[in-house]
Amino acid sequence: MPSQEAIVPAGITATIRGGNTEAQTRCLKPLVNSGSLDKFNHADLTPVIGREFTGVQVVDFLGADQQLIDDLAITISERGVVVFRAQDITPQQMKELAERITQAGGAPESSGLHIHPLTEAGSELGDQISVISSEKQKKGGGLTHQLSDVSRFASAGWHSDITFEPVSSDYAMLKIHTLPASGGDTLWASGYEIYDRLSPAMQTFLEGLTATHDARFFLDEAERLGNPLRDGIRGSPLNFGSKLQAEHPVIRTNPVTGWKSVFVNKGFTTRLNGVTKDESDLLLGYLFNIVTQNHDAQVRVKWNKNDLAIWDNRSNWHCATYDYEAARAGDRVCSLGEAPYLDLNSKSRREALSL
Ligand SMILES: O=C(O)CCC(=O)C(=O)O
Ligand SMILES: [Fe+2]
């Protein structure tokens, strides 16, 4: 079984499960939102997930008060996904913004921007930008972690990014610059809300488990594309090689909010550990269904040209929609956070917000 070391790391409290000591959060308690973004025009997209901002250029935050970046990181972690409409930000500036957000969120120093194992060496925008392109996908290139082509369920593509890495993603951002007249929406779902919908008995049971996340299908993909797999260091010294498997706690604490979330996903999670294969299949099936079949734990974002979405991969899932023919393309940056851990003393979102 692939395994990450240190289920109870030395030196930190025994209420912590998981979390490799070499990649711990610098966030020792949840961060407090000062409200500095409230002056910008914004609206919540649903009660549980999503906020959108209009009439503000997020690139301007780079040269402004650090408080804006801090509150941006907190807002993304609280709301799951934040959409900024009609943005001027360039791919290089997206990298800078991603670095500032991940630092504000307390990522360990060893974590940087991720290099996807399928990114071609010498790709036009650099290793840390993934070009999302429907045209490229049609030709068999680009990111292929969406599985819709092998399923009749549009919901087959629900995932959170790169959870096969021992040090997985905290935040990711996507700017869509080319889009069809309609279609190509992206959906996000809240892992905080899904945790809150489990019974206390099921919550406690799952808190004792880890799961295996596996992306060995990328090995076949790399071979098919004729691109060598990126098996060097992929944004953290703990993410390297061609194993493409990791073990993570099934319930995870988001250090920025301090809230618990379900952390298994249809895209990469293959096995709950410590139970039989039958039990694992049954429980994973239930957990995937409770995400995909609760549209009141989801938000569906309709893109306009140059919109930028930034989300927290620790506590949310997302799913693309392949319902269009015309070209759709954008740029994506994905940062790495801490090695996932569960703090048994952390709270659920509803508990913390007294909902
Ligand atoms: O194309 C999309 O809507 C989402 C793609 C995706 O999964 C990602 O950018 O991580
Ligand atoms: Fe993704």
Side-chain angles (χ1 to χ4, degrees):
M1 228 354 95
S3 167
Q4 209 180 298
E5 299 291 296
I7 284 300
V8 179
I12 56 173
T13 136
T15 61
I16 304 280
R17 290 189 180 154
N20 192 307
T21 46
E22 288 164 59
Q24 275 173 13
T25 178
R26 287 181 294 108
C27 227
L28 298 176
K29 53 179 198 299
L31 302 180
V32 178
N33 199 327
S34 82
S36 68
L37 300 182
D38 293 354
K39 60 178 178 275
F40 303 115
N41 196 7
H42 66 276
D44 283 348
L45 297 171
T46 79
V48 299
I49 182 170
R51 180 169 295 176
E52 83 175 350
F53 286 88
T54 49
V56 56
Q57 292 296 327
V58 72
V59 68
D60 294 342
F61 293 6
L62 290 175
D65 197 337
Q66 176 62 29
Q67 191 72 61
L68 291 174
I69 301 278
D70 292 347
D71 285 342
L72 177 56
I74 300 166
T75 303
I76 301 161
S77 294
E78 287 173 343
R79 298 299 309 161
V81 56
V82 171
V83 180
F84 289 91
R85 300 292 184 184
Q87 296 298 297
D88 296 335
I89 193 166
T90 65
Q92 297 312 319
Q93 289 167 331
M94 282 171 63
K95 282 205 282 195
E96 192 183 336
L97 181 64
E99 268 166 358
R100 295 281 301 279
I101 293 171
T102 182
Q103 279 160 19
E109 289 206 345
S110 51
S111 284
L113 302 182
H114 188 239
I115 299 172
H116 198 276
L118 291 182
T119 296
E120 282 174 60
S123 68
E124 57 211 278
L125 293 171
D127 283 346
Q128 295 155 325
I129 304 259
S130 296
V131 175
I132 304 279
S133 157
S134 57
E135 297 297 295
K136 246 183 162 178
Q137 255 171 357
K138 271 189 207 155
K139 290 189 202 120
L143 281 186
T144 50
H145 57 218
Q146 284 84 14
L147 305 174
S148 308
D149 59 334
V150 295
S151 169
R152 293 298 165 103
F153 289 93
S155 58
W158 278 100
H159 66 283
S160 61
D161 294 322
I162 65 154
T163 62
F164 56 87
E165 299 282 23
V167 180
S168 62
S169 166
D170 50 2
Y171 300 101
M173 64 178 72
L174 175 64
K175 180 179 170 184
I176 295 287
H177 55 69
T178 304
L179 75 170
S182 71
D185 299 353
T186 308
L187 289 80
W188 280 265
S190 168
Y192 301 135
E193 178 63 16
I194 296 305
Y195 176 81
D196 268 317
R197 289 189 191 189
L198 302 173
S199 63
M202 183 58 84
Q203 290 172 339
T204 304
F205 173 63
L206 293 177
E207 283 172 10
L209 298 184
T210 66
T212 297
H213 299 241
D214 186 332
R216 280 178 301 179
F217 55 87
F218 284 151
L219 299 173
D220 298 337
E221 189 65 13
E223 197 163 299
R224 203 173 62 76
L225 296 170
N227 294 340
L229 190 92
R230 303 297 293 259
D231 58 4
I233 287 181
R234 295 186 293 266
S236 160
L238 300 178
N239 297 349
F240 64 92
S242 52
K243 190 166 114 173
L244 306 184
Q245 284 172 298
E247 188 177 317
H248 297 304
V250 171
I251 307 297
R252 166 179 196 181
T253 303
N254 186 311
V256 174
T257 53
W259 302 339
K260 290 176 186 171
S261 169
V262 174
F263 189 64
V264 292
N265 71 86
K266 235 172 152 63
F268 298 115
T269 313
T270 50
R271 184 74 159 89
L272 292 183
N273 303 319
V275 296
T276 66
K277 167 91 169 56
D278 300 335
E279 290 166 342
S280 169
D281 290 348
L282 197 75
L283 285 165
L284 281 178
Y286 174 69
L287 291 171
F288 298 156
N289 283 343
I290 195 174
V291 178
T292 59
Q293 296 182 20
N294 275 302
H295 64 276
D296 53 351
Q298 303 171 4
V299 60
R300 178 169 180 151
V301 172
K302 179 170 169 47
W303 297 89
N304 297 304
K305 188 175 166 62
N306 291 334
D307 289 345
L308 175 81
I310 318 176
W311 63 94
D312 190 321
N313 267 315
R314 295 171 285 207
S315 317
N316 299 276
W317 303 272
H318 55 283
C319 187
T321 310
Y322 297 100
D323 58 350
Y324 55 91
E325 284 297 327
R328 177 181 182 275
D331 301 313
R332 191 187 74 140
V333 181
C334 181
S335 56
L336 301 177
E338 70 287 353
Y341 67 94
L342 169 66
D343 179 351
L344 287 169
N345 288 333
S346 59
K347 293 196 163 100
S348 89
R349 172 179 166 276
R350 285 181 178 270
E351 195 185 357
L353 299 179
S354 308
L355 296 173

